[in-house]
């Protein structure tokens, strides 16, 4: 009965594609359609996402980027069907058989992400006033966070008997404070580097980069799907959320995360100012700060243990991020040193030839 109901529900939508469904399998927002023309994926999205994401996909195709799961047009040329207040679009169903290990899968995804960004890159104007306002507002917010950290540590240390949470916070305070200081320093370096610039580099970002949104066809080629959050923005808005999710684990030294990032940067190198801003946002201890603020504003009776567990997880993220940030710093210093040595050598050889 349930299968028959699904057939009846989706048949009117598929009719717009001249597709007759034989069986429909439910995968939440995605339906796997077995039909007279093969196997398809029917995706449901909110109508307000429709125009923008289709426009971005068409732009990428026009620029030569074809590692996107194609969206089929209807018989009358539309790329989506509005039905019962929901928007639906049709794609081929990919087998997505893993022919590579986890490391290689991520490497291919980051190579493709870099290529997507390379093909869609463009400079957009940004006034000096807007840049200054962003810097000042961010700096002010982070200064308030520093004041909160310092105020809370004084409050904890003034007590004769600290709570278990407060005791743990006093142990974490220096690491959180140092992360905030590093992040603030990088932000200042970025502003000093760019305060006279009136443009910034943007790309079409995917918006939800994940291995779940990077599928393989039967030839082993990887394709992006789920472009509903695609928009014109800076590249790090694709990189930062993915790296943050991958580092939300028990404490570890994630060389994989370093390799993924530099696989991307090999194909889409950051400018110096972009790297400074990336380092600033990447290392900002926002999650653990939010956890501490949540505890500070808690209502009496809330579980102390749950607050401790939550802060501990966010602190692990901070430490995992710290390791990757240190490796980035090390690699960037080595690159700068190599460039300086190469420049000095070229200058010396030029002087000798003269």
């Amino acid at each position: 009965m349930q299968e028959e109901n699904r057939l009846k529900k989706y048949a009117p939508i598929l009719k717009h594609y001249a597709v007759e469904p034989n069986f429909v399998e439910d995968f939440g927002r995605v339906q796997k359609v077995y039909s007279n023309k093969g196997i398809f994926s029917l995706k449901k999205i909110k109508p307000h996402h429709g125009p923008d994401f289709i426009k971005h996909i068409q732009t990428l195709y026009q620029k030569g980027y074809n590692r996107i799961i194609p969206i089929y047009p209807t018989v009358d040329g539309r790329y989506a069907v509005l039905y019962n207040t929901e928007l639906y679009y049709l794609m081929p169903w990919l087998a997505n058989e893993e022919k590579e290990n986890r490391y290689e899968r991520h490497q291919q995804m980051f190579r493709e992400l870099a290529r997507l960004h390379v093909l869609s890159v463009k400079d957009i104007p940004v006034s000096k006033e807007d840049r200054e306002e962003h810097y000042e507002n961010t700096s002010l917010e982070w200064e308030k966070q520093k004041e909160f950290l310092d105020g809370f540590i004084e409050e904890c240390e003034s007590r004769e008997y600290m709570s278990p949470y407060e005791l743990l916070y006093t142990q974490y305070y220096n690491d959180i404070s140092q992360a905030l200081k590093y992040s603030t320093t990088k932000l200042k370096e970025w502003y000093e580097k760019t305060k006279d610039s009136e443009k910034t580099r943007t790309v079409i970002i995917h918006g939800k980069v994940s291995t779940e949104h990077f599928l393989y066809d039967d030839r082993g080629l990887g394709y992006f799907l789920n472009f509903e959050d695609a928009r014109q923005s800076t590249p790090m808005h694709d990189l930062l959320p993915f790296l943050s999710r991958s580092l939300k684990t028990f404490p570890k030294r994630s060389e994989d995360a370093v390799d993924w990032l530099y696989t991307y940067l090999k194909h889409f190198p950051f400018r110096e100012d972009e790297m400074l801003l990336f380092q600033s946002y990447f290392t900002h201890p926002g999650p653990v700060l939010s956890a501490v603020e949540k505890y500070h504003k808690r209502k009496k009776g809330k579980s102390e243990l749950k607050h401790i567990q939550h802060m501990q997880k966010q602190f692990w993220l901070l430490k995992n991020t710290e390791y990757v940030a240190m490796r980035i710093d090390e690699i960037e210093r080595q690159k700068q040193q190599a460039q300086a040595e190469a420049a000095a050598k070229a200058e010396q050889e030029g002087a000798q030839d003269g």
Side-chain angles (χ1 to χ4, degrees):
M1 180 62 72
Q2 204 170 25
E3 294 168 5
E4 290 179 11
N5 289 339
R6 273 202 297 272
L7 278 173
K8 288 180 181 178
K9 178 179 179 180
Y10 296 110
I13 302 167
L14 294 165
K15 187 177 181 181
H16 290 279
Y17 298 91
V19 170
E20 297 176 12
N22 299 320
F23 178 73
V24 178
E25 195 173 354
D26 186 17
F27 286 86
R29 299 186 71 84
V30 176
Q31 305 297 318
K32 185 175 183 180
V33 178
Y34 300 83
S35 77
N36 61 325
K37 293 185 177 179
I39 304 176
F40 298 94
S41 172
L42 184 67
K43 177 75 183 289
K44 177 175 71 174
I45 62 172
K46 295 296 180 184
H48 65 270
H49 282 302
D52 285 342
F53 107 87
I54 290 171
K55 178 188 73 176
H56 289 311
I57 287 177
Q58 289 174 331
T59 299
L60 289 168
Y61 269 122
Q62 290 165 3
K63 291 181 179 293
Y65 189 78
N66 59 2
R67 288 298 187 88
I68 302 169
I69 296 181
I71 297 176
Y72 293 131
T74 61
V75 173
D76 60 4
R78 289 173 293 154
Y79 281 91
V81 175
L82 185 63
Y83 184 78
N84 287 344
T85 73
E86 299 283 2
L87 204 61
Y88 293 85
Y89 63 92
L90 194 70
M91 303 173 289
W93 184 272
L94 294 195
N96 198 34
E97 295 178 3
E98 290 199 33
K99 298 181 180 180
E100 301 171 317
N101 63 33
R102 176 177 177 271
Y103 178 79
E104 291 168 341
R105 187 183 182 95
H106 282 72
Q107 292 281 33
Q108 185 177 156
M109 186 182 75
F110 273 93
R111 284 194 297 270
E112 283 302 324
L113 182 65
R115 198 163 72 86
L116 186 157
H117 289 172
V118 165
L119 290 174
S120 63
V121 68
K122 70 175 182 179
D123 286 337
I124 63 169
V126 176
S127 70
K128 294 179 182 179
E129 292 76 19
D130 286 345
R131 194 182 296 274
E132 182 180 8
E133 183 181 4
H134 171 74
Y135 170 70
E136 289 181 349
N137 288 343
T138 306
S139 296
L140 181 61
E141 181 185 347
W142 291 0
E143 180 60 35
K144 288 179 180 177
Q145 291 172 345
K146 179 70 167 64
E147 290 173 3
F148 167 74
L149 284 175
D150 293 344
F152 190 44
I153 193 71
E154 289 176 9
E155 183 182 321
C156 293
E157 291 178 338
S158 68
R159 301 190 194 283
E160 188 171 354
Y161 297 105
M162 284 186 272
S163 72
Y165 189 99
E166 291 166 342
L167 183 61
L168 191 62
Y169 173 69
T170 60
Q171 296 173 27
Y172 290 168
Y173 166 78
N174 282 334
D175 291 283
I176 301 170
S177 185
Q178 285 301 312
L180 185 57
K181 181 180 179 181
Y182 178 91
S183 183
T184 303
T185 300
K186 289 296 180 183
L187 183 70
K188 186 176 181 180
E189 290 176 15
W190 164 80
Y191 179 67
E192 290 299 321
K193 190 82 179 172
T194 63
K195 62 183 178 182
D196 294 323
S197 175
E198 294 188 346
K199 62 182 181 179
T200 191
R201 190 164 66 155
T202 67
V203 299
I204 293 178
I205 66 167
H206 178 277
K208 285 185 178 179
V209 174
S210 163
T211 51
E212 293 179 3
H213 300 149
F214 188 72
L215 306 183
Y216 290 85
D217 65 9
D218 53 8
R219 297 171 296 170
L221 299 176
Y223 292 79
F224 283 111
L225 79 160
N226 201 342
F227 272 82
E228 286 92 339
D229 287 346
R231 61 192 184 277
Q232 199 79 30
S233 188
T234 58
M236 65 180 164
H237 285 118
D238 265 341
L239 296 170
L240 290 173
F242 182 90
L243 292 172
S244 178
R245 288 196 307 273
S246 72
L247 295 171
K248 285 183 179 178
T249 65
F250 290 101
K252 67 174 183 179
R253 295 187 170 189
S254 182
E255 284 296 332
D256 281 355
V258 178
D259 289 345
W260 298 336
L261 176 61
Y262 278 92
T263 294
Y264 171 89
L265 293 174
K266 180 180 178 182
H267 299 279
F268 189 85
F270 277 175
R271 297 168 179 170
E272 186 179 354
D273 62 294
E274 290 171 334
M275 178 56 79
L276 289 170
L277 193 59
F278 173 84
Q279 289 174 296
S280 175
Y281 287 155
F282 178 59
T283 56
H284 182 261
V288 71
L289 272 166
S290 296
V292 177
E293 287 174 352
K294 188 175 180 180
Y295 175 82
H296 193 256
K297 296 174 182 177
R298 77 197 186 287
K299 293 180 180 179
K300 297 298 181 183
K302 291 285 184 179
S303 170
E304 182 94 357
L305 178 59
K306 286 184 178 179
H307 279 292
I308 289 172
Q309 291 171 335
H310 180 60
M311 180 173 67
Q312 191 170 53
K313 287 179 181 178
Q314 305 314 314
F315 184 73
W316 290 343
L317 169 61
L318 183 148
K319 297 302 287 183
N320 290 342
T321 301
E322 179 186 280
Y323 176 78
V324 176
M326 288 172 60
R327 290 284 291 115
I328 293 171
D329 248 355
E330 179 185 355
I331 292 168
E332 293 304 307
R333 280 199 306 270
Q334 289 172 350
K335 284 165 59 177
Q336 290 170 5
Q337 184 179 350
Q339 289 168 359
E341 290 173 355
K345 183 178 179 182
E347 184 177 348
Q348 185 180 17
E349 289 174 350
Q352 290 173 352
D353 292 341

